[in-house]
Amino acid sequence: MTEQATMTEPATRMLLGDEAVAFAAAHAGITAAYAYPGTPSTEIVECLYELEKKQGWPKASWCANEKTAYEAALGMSMAGKRALVAMKHVGLNVAADPFMNSAVVQPIGGLVVAVADDPGMHSSQNEQDSRYYADFARIPCLEPADPQEAYDMVRDAYDISEAFRIPVMVRLVTRLAHQRSGVTMGSIQRENDADVNPDRNDWVLLPSYAKKLWKRRLVEAPELKRWAEGSHYNTLTLNDEFRELGIITTGIAKHYFLEVAAELGLMPSHLHIGAYPMPEEKIRALASHCSEILVLEDGYPHVERALRGIIAPAVVIRGKMNGAIPEDGELSQDIVRRALGLPVGEGVRLGSMELPNRPPRLCEGCPHTDAYDALRMALQGSDHPLVMSDIGCYTLGALPPHNTGDSCVCMGASIGMAKGAADAGVHPSIAIIGDSTFLHSGVTPLMDAVADDANMVLLILDNQTTAMTGTQPTLLPSERIHELILGLGVKPEHCHKFEVHPRKVGELAELFRREIAHPGLSVVIAHRVCVEAARRNKK
Amino acid sequence: MKCDIIAAGVGGQGVLSVSAIIAASALRAGLFAVQSEVHGMSQRGGAVVAHLRISDQPIHSATVGLGKADLVISMEPLESLRYLEYLAPTGTIISSIEPVKNFDGYPELETLLTEVKRIPRAILIDATKLAREAGNAKAANIIMVGAASHLLPISQEHILAFIEETFRAKSEKLVEVNLKAFESGRLQVAAAETVGVGA
């Protein structure tokens, strides 16, 4: 069975939250969608790829990184067409520059940025909450509670974006992105005409123009607040019979609360927030109605932190900041149960057996394993080597049996960090990066290393795909990665492309030893196609 | 009526398909279904789990509560024990007995199976063998769906119709293999029930 939602009822389809976002964008008449794959957001543009293959529209594009994806979407908006840009939460860090500044210009075609956060870090290096970014950029944010609402909100987001001429964020979390449930879809809207004539005053962020544009945003901010205040995604239900406790939920937390609420006996007053900026009047209305508020949100205590500035000090606030809810990890119905004093199930206990973990690992026959074997051989006898790794399947090399990789921080960091360590006198200083991650964020730090002829070895694990997220294509074929590196000025005698093979591990180790001994920058491209990608290509 | 299910196994075993087939069949039967999956890093040969909730009423939480699962369907015996905290005291575990030993320190199979049998309602199935007999080892997940079908609030016609429709797009042969696999899994549990669950 394919990942794609092929199981259909005419009116309602079982869709992943990500797929609901994709269909909504297509039905809202987008002309294109741009993304770099990243769990849990990947299936948004994967779904649109399938749609494009089937029906010819809209255009779906994998990009070099989230920044280039965002900029393409912004250009499309300037040309009057609707665009979607999708990414995982840490991808927004990469796209932060165009994101923040797109909130100063005046988008024309609807511009929606779908960001999937990962509370609980199922597949990420942190659990940053993208709602802060929306607040930071002063743009509206919609936070769906389920796949149906993801569909509805993305469709609305395009209208809001065009009405306010502002980018709109739709914030997902893992449990929504990867939740499959029935979604009823609406009619298909035609794409925008492109007969626009953008005004330079709206798009050139020279200080003289930018000051006016920023002022305009601030002047219009109350309108945005009024919109959020009146939005049907922010619902307040007051119970006059019960004034001890009020509940605020955001996004999917609503469903965790409603799952258990019936057991409370008395239903507390409840404000659900699905649209930001925060509906302060509704928050005050809830606060004036009860003596204590419990805040339930998946992610950081975003609403909870803001409450103190909105409501009277006499009202007790409970949530992540006072320990009623754990501050890390994802929310669940059981966490909500505990916070509400409801009984939590225990399940069945294991007998005497100790249950071993089954961590993810590199596949049988993965080319990275040979490269790691060679590198370990080459590093034997080195006193204090540092091996800076990066983000991809090969990060798993840090686990046994490979135990290779001393760091993994963010896309492309391996190269910059290896240069910094080399500058500090570390030898050998090694950077390991995959081909897709190299193209995403590795080229610019390599320029720094070239400029300084840093005493380090860069190992590019070129498996010709973005493997971890499901073998999406990389933007450049292997030959051109080699040419690109030579073009940056890496000395040809210290830039090697090596066909990795289990029988050639010794030979590769020897090459590493030679290049570690070279007092300057060396690059080794270890090439062999990913086993998963090879399997997929055969199909 | 509600039925909370945990589908478990190892990346690549078709765990998500087990859950998706049941979910889609529930939808056909006019029920509500919500499925929560894990993608990405966890799928690289690691433990994979899907939560599936079926009800005749709208469903709120996409994940099952602790101690609330009516059924754990596992494609692998070690994985069948990983989610016991979700299993209701009256719940059932149906597990395939074929181990996936892709790491050092995998427990003795005997110890493992004894541990599974300790659960009051546990059913062990040699799904891989049965799938091979049905014509394709890859149909092990359909064997498990068949085995679980007795405990699902969905009549088997809806599941059969869905299997037929899904595999028809690929080949008639696969339709035949998978329908046979479903029936074979279903019969296994009928037999297990007559000799007493956990035997």
Side-chain angles (χ1 to χ4, degrees):
Chain A
M1 202 149 86
T2 61
E3 184 84 341
Q4 198 53 42
T6 45
M7 49 283 211
T8 59
E9 287 285 337
T12 303
R13 297 177 68 168
M14 284 293 279
L15 291 184
L16 279 180
D18 278 348
E19 292 169 344
V21 169
F23 277 102
H27 295 172
I30 60 162
T31 299
Y34 302 96
Y36 183 82
T39 314
S41 70
T42 311
E43 292 80 4
I44 297 172
V45 165
E46 283 217 314
C47 178
L48 287 163
Y49 248 92
E50 292 300 317
L51 269 185
E52 189 190 7
K53 222 163 45 184
K54 216 167 70 185
Q55 64 188 30
W57 60 272
K59 179 183 169 68
S61 280
W62 294 123
C63 301
N65 64 36
E66 293 84 357
K67 180 179 187 288
T68 66
Y70 200 102
E71 288 154 350
L74 186 60
M76 178 151 281
S77 167
M78 186 173 172
K81 303 276 197 176
R82 291 183 164 188
L84 176 73
V85 54
M87 61 194 69
K88 68 183 295 177
H89 58 337
V90 285
L92 189 52
N93 299 334
V94 178
D97 204 355
F99 170 74
M100 291 302 294
N101 293 308
S102 71
V104 183
V105 298
Q106 292 278 310
I108 300 171
L111 176 59
V112 174
V113 48
V115 189
D117 291 354
D118 191 14
M121 293 184 248
H122 294 276
S123 265
S124 309
Q125 66 271 46
N126 74 26
E127 35 182 34
Q128 66 184 60
D129 188 325
S130 298
R131 294 176 299 170
Y132 285 88
Y133 262 120
D135 188 53
F136 192 17
R138 301 217 181 192
I139 65 162
C141 173
L142 295 169
E143 191 186 2
D146 48 52
Q148 179 68 60
E149 205 170 61
Y151 180 86
D152 297 339
M153 281 182 167
V154 169
R155 295 213 57 166
D156 286 350
Y158 281 97
D159 296 335
I160 296 160
S161 172
E162 288 176 1
F164 290 96
R165 298 195 59 185
I166 199 165
V168 177
M169 177 188 288
V170 176
R171 185 235 183 188
L172 313 173
V173 292
T174 303
R175 283 293 167 196
L176 171 60
H178 290 166
Q179 164 186 156
R180 209 179 276 276
S181 63
V183 175
T184 306
M185 296 190 270
S187 58
I188 297 170
Q189 192 172 328
R190 214 170 56 85
E191 69 177 313
N192 288 357
D193 294 325
D195 59 347
V196 290
N197 191 9
D199 186 343
R200 187 173 289 136
N201 291 289
D202 290 344
W203 290 90
V204 179
L205 292 181
L206 274 170
S208 56
Y209 295 163
K211 281 178 199 174
K212 284 184 196 141
L213 287 166
W214 181 232
K215 188 78 182 171
R216 181 167 160 188
R217 280 279 178 246
L218 298 177
V219 167
E220 287 173 357
E223 275 177 52
L224 212 53
K225 267 194 163 321
R226 266 196 297 281
W227 159 79
E229 203 67 63
S231 167
H232 66 280
Y233 293 123
N234 297 328
T235 51
L236 176 63
T237 319
L238 296 176
N239 181 0
D240 290 330
E241 309 300 315
F242 183 45
R243 289 180 166 265
E244 279 75 52
L245 179 66
I247 307 285
I248 293 179
T249 57
T250 79
I252 67 166
K254 173 172 86 176
H255 286 303
Y256 296 134
F257 170 63
L258 292 179
E259 178 77 29
V260 305
E263 294 171 40
L264 284 172
L266 281 168
M267 186 69 175
S269 294
H270 176 202
L271 170 62
H272 176 69
I273 300 177
Y276 305 80
M278 274 175 228
E280 294 184 4
E281 283 168 36
K282 280 180 175 157
I283 290 172
R284 275 190 284 267
L286 176 76
S288 66
H289 205 78
C290 43
S291 51
E292 181 181 316
I293 291 178
L294 175 66
V295 189
L296 304 171
E297 47 194 330
D298 204 12
Y300 285 15
H302 178 58
V303 170
E304 190 181 339
R305 271 181 71 179
L307 283 189
R308 270 292 162 244
I310 301 173
I311 63 178
V315 180
V316 175
I317 299 168
R318 290 174 62 222
K320 295 189 174 216
M321 290 167 71
N322 83 330
I325 306 281
E327 204 170 346
D328 62 329
E330 63 178 341
L331 203 60
S332 68
Q333 57 165 305
D334 292 301
I335 289 173
V336 173
R337 279 179 176 282
R338 273 184 209 110
L340 289 168
L342 292 169
V344 176
E346 274 190 3
V348 174
R349 260 167 234 251
L350 198 63
S352 51
M353 212 187 115
E354 190 86 16
L355 204 65
N357 281 329
R358 192 193 297 268
R361 59 205 298 275
L362 293 173
C363 303
E364 201 64 43
C366 172
H368 302 339
T369 59
D370 299 331
Y372 281 152
D373 287 346
L375 184 61
R376 268 200 322 280
M377 278 167 80
L379 289 176
Q380 259 167 23
S382 298
D383 283 342
H384 297 291
L386 268 182
V387 178
M388 308 299 191
S389 190
D390 222 297
I391 294 185
C393 288
Y394 49 93
T395 319
L396 296 172
L399 307 174
H402 304 293
N403 302 307
T404 304
D406 300 311
S407 73
C408 162
V409 178
C410 65
M411 297 286 281
S414 58
I415 301 175
M417 287 177 71
K419 179 184 187 292
D423 290 349
V426 170
H427 185 80
S429 180
I430 314 280
I432 298 178
I433 192 167
D435 52 334
S436 187
T437 307
F438 175 68
L439 294 174
H440 179 288
S441 288
V443 182
T444 41
L446 182 56
M447 270 185 248
D448 293 345
V450 170
D452 236 10
D453 197 21
N455 187 10
M456 57 181 271
V457 177
L458 166 60
L459 166 58
I460 298 180
L461 298 170
D462 178 8
N463 61 0
Q464 289 183 262
T465 189
T466 314
M468 182 61 100
T469 49
T471 63
Q472 290 78 16
T474 43
L475 292 186
L476 289 190
S478 300
E479 315 78 66
R480 277 199 276 157
I481 292 181
H482 194 189
E483 288 167 14
L484 170 71
I485 291 166
L486 291 174
L488 289 175
V490 175
K491 293 178 188 125
E493 63 274 27
H494 295 292
C495 181
H496 309 272
K497 188 171 172 191
F498 192 94
E499 286 302 318
V500 184
H501 192 278
R503 278 200 302 270
K504 283 161 58 183
V505 167
E507 195 184 321
L508 181 56
E510 189 44 47
L511 176 63
F512 284 145
R513 271 188 218 108
R514 245 182 6 248
E515 292 306 337
I516 287 168
H518 163 64
L521 176 66
S522 309
V523 177
V524 177
I525 306 170
H527 175 262
R528 188 167 93 222
V529 71
C530 161
V531 284
E532 277 291 320
R535 202 171 294 148
R536 188 160 140 154
N537 292 344
K538 238 188 255 171
K539 275 186 186 170
Chain B
M1 183 282 296
K2 66 115 198 160
C3 182
D4 285 349
I5 302 166
I6 303 273
V10 180
Q13 283 194 308
V15 174
L16 298 186
S17 293
V18 168
S19 177
I21 289 165
I22 299 172
S25 306
L27 204 69
R28 279 170 174 266
L31 299 169
F32 294 92
V34 176
Q35 178 185 331
S36 180
E37 323 174 343
V38 172
H39 294 202
M41 181 171 259
S42 321
Q43 280 188 293
R44 284 275 169 271
V48 169
V49 63
H51 290 223
L52 172 61
R53 309 190 65 205
I54 299 170
S55 175
D56 54 1
Q57 301 296 316
I59 298 159
H60 286 296
S61 170
T63 43
V64 173
L66 295 171
K68 299 275 199 292
D70 302 290
L71 182 58
V72 170
I73 307 172
S74 180
M75 296 296 301
E76 208 274 349
L78 175 63
E79 296 311 312
S80 75
L81 295 171
R82 202 175 295 286
Y83 309 98
L84 290 182
E85 59 179 347
Y86 288 99
L87 189 64
T90 53
T92 305
I93 288 190
I94 302 184
S95 178
S96 166
I97 58 167
E98 175 116 334
V100 177
K101 301 181 179 177
N102 63 354
F103 64 97
D104 293 334
Y106 192 95
E108 284 295 316
L109 187 58
E110 271 314 301
T111 320
L112 207 53
L113 296 182
T114 309
E115 192 72 38
V116 180
K117 287 179 193 159
R118 217 182 46 84
I119 311 295
R121 295 176 57 82
I123 301 169
L124 292 166
I125 307 260
D126 196 343
T128 314
K129 178 169 149 261
L130 292 172
R132 231 175 266 126
E133 285 168 10
N136 191 337
K138 280 188 184 160
N141 54 0
I142 305 292
I143 299 276
M144 296 307 290
V145 174
S149 63
H150 299 273
L151 297 155
L152 300 174
I154 310 164
S155 81
Q156 60 165 321
E157 284 67 40
H158 292 295
I159 308 175
L160 288 169
F162 179 74
I163 290 174
E164 210 172 321
E165 195 181 291
T166 305
F167 291 101
R168 179 132 298 149
K170 298 180 180 169
S171 80
E172 281 303 320
K173 173 75 185 155
L174 276 180
V175 174
E176 191 192 311
V177 167
N178 284 289
L179 290 179
K180 206 165 146 192
F182 178 88
E183 192 54 30
S184 165
R186 189 169 168 89
L187 284 173
Q188 277 295 305
V189 172
E193 301 251 289
T194 55
V195 295
V197 167

